[in-house]
Amino acid sequence: MTVDIGDFTADPAADFTAWLRDFEGAALLRHTWGDPDWSRGARLDPALVRSLQRFQVGEDGDGAFLTGKAARAGDPVYAAAVRLFVAEEREHARLLARLLEAAGAATLRGHWSDAVFVRLRRLLGLRMELMVLMLAEVVALAYYRAVRDGAGDPLTSEVAGRILADELRHVPFHRDRLRWSFRRSSRLTRAAAAALWWALLAGVVTVVVADHGGALREVGVSGAAFVREVAASFGGVVAGVMWPAGRKAGAQAIEAQATEARTTDARTAGAPAAGEGNGAARSRGDRGTVG
């Protein structure tokens, strides 16, 4: 798999201005919302506490490798959007840390699964990093949705809902960049990359179910149901990235989740959804959200 750091601006389909505006709008909306009411405290099962601690480690980090690769890709607009994406991920880590504190639990200094994942992401160039990162994003969609809906604790549900609203935008953002990256690849290359991608997902989701199975059961989701949801979301991502000429069906499944992104934002904060009414969700006909 070659490293792809070409000139974005040579291809109008690679214009990330709408995504940059979307991230800027989400940042403004978060500022308007302010923090959840941490004084409410949180009552969490020990299995869910351990699971959230591990996810908190995964969300934390300065994103230096990713932002550096994005800067070298040649498009300052895309690089600026990536910096805001990294800022959102760090905000997720902060929210989870505060949630754990509200539940009387500490954060972890690190976890082996995060260390392996980060090392894998950094192996090659920007395209490989985004492909590996996408695995985490798709898993996060199913995980935070399950926590939001099944935690049974108002503060935990609010925090998970806020994070989910961001993740529902992150997936199509990375999908658009990866689609552009594969635009000149042969069908054979796409097929081989898709097969490798699915194999990596199988490994990741197996580890997640083994490591977080107790927490998933606590929020009412079986391991099999979690795997099915992740696989369904990932199928739409692969179709959107690898087979753009025939991605209409996948795009319909992806677009079906855009409503959830807006509903999640509004339900979480009682405010207009991030990105609603701006150009990001409509900058191209098939742009939507995966989940």
Side-chain angles (χ1 to χ4, degrees):
M1 191 175 296
T2 59
V3 178
D4 176 23
I5 52 172
D7 177 12
F8 279 76
T9 57
D11 183 356
D15 183 6
F16 280 80
T17 302
W19 278 119
L20 178 59
R21 298 291 175 261
D22 196 54
F23 279 108
E24 291 172 339
L28 178 60
L29 195 56
R30 280 193 300 275
H31 178 74
T32 301
W33 289 348
D35 263 15
D37 181 6
W38 303 115
S39 66
R40 288 179 290 174
R43 296 176 61 86
L44 298 175
D45 181 85
L48 186 54
V49 168
R50 290 191 294 270
S51 176
L52 290 169
Q53 286 173 325
R54 294 166 192 172
F55 266 81
Q56 193 277 334
V57 171
E59 298 277 8
D60 205 6
D62 60 10
F65 277 80
L66 177 59
T67 54
K69 291 173 186 177
R72 293 191 294 274
D75 177 16
V77 174
Y78 174 70
V82 167
R83 288 193 295 272
L84 291 177
F85 157 75
V86 170
E88 286 191 356
E89 293 288 285
R90 299 195 71 183
E91 172 65 5
H92 297 171
R94 186 188 72 85
L95 289 173
L96 290 174
R98 292 297 305 273
L99 175 62
L100 289 166
E101 180 184 359
T107 57
L108 302 179
R109 294 177 62 87
H111 191 261
W112 68 266
S113 59
D114 180 63
V116 171
F117 189 79
V118 169
R119 185 175 295 275
L120 182 61
R121 280 173 49 187
R122 295 175 179 177
L123 282 176
L124 294 174
L126 178 60
R127 184 161 74 180
M128 182 63 180
E129 175 143 8
L130 291 180
M131 290 180 74
V132 176
L133 179 60
M134 184 70 88
L135 304 176
E137 298 289 343
V138 172
V139 166
L141 290 179
Y143 178 81
Y144 288 117
R145 183 182 291 109
V147 173
R148 179 198 65 184
D149 295 343
D153 175 78
L155 181 59
T156 303
S157 294
E158 179 179 349
V159 170
R162 288 188 182 214
I163 296 174
L164 177 62
D166 288 339
E167 300 293 358
L168 283 162
R169 292 182 294 101
H170 292 177
V171 169
F173 170 60
H174 297 312
R175 180 207 61 197
D176 282 1
R177 173 60 179 82
L178 285 167
R179 177 187 299 158
W180 184 86
S181 175
F182 280 99
R183 73 199 186 285
R184 294 174 182 166
S185 299
S186 67
R187 290 186 62 84
L188 180 60
T189 297
R190 292 169 189 258
L196 173 61
W197 215 3
W198 274 107
L200 288 173
L201 177 73
V204 168
V205 78
T206 298
V207 170
V208 170
V209 170
D211 209 25
H212 300 267
L216 292 173
R217 289 190 295 273
E218 179 63 24
V219 297
V221 177
S222 69
F226 184 80
V227 171
R228 286 195 298 270
E229 181 172 353
V230 171
S233 294
F234 192 66
V237 169
V238 174
V241 170
M242 299 298 181
W243 318 117
R247 63 179 179 261
K248 184 175 181 180
Q252 290 173 345
I254 289 169
E255 185 64 30
Q257 299 304 322
T259 300
E260 181 184 0
R262 293 188 288 270
T263 301
T264 296
D265 279 339
R267 182 170 66 183
T268 298
E276 187 172 13
N278 66 24
R282 298 185 299 276
S283 61
R284 287 188 290 281
D286 68 324
R287 173 168 284 169
T289 323
V290 178

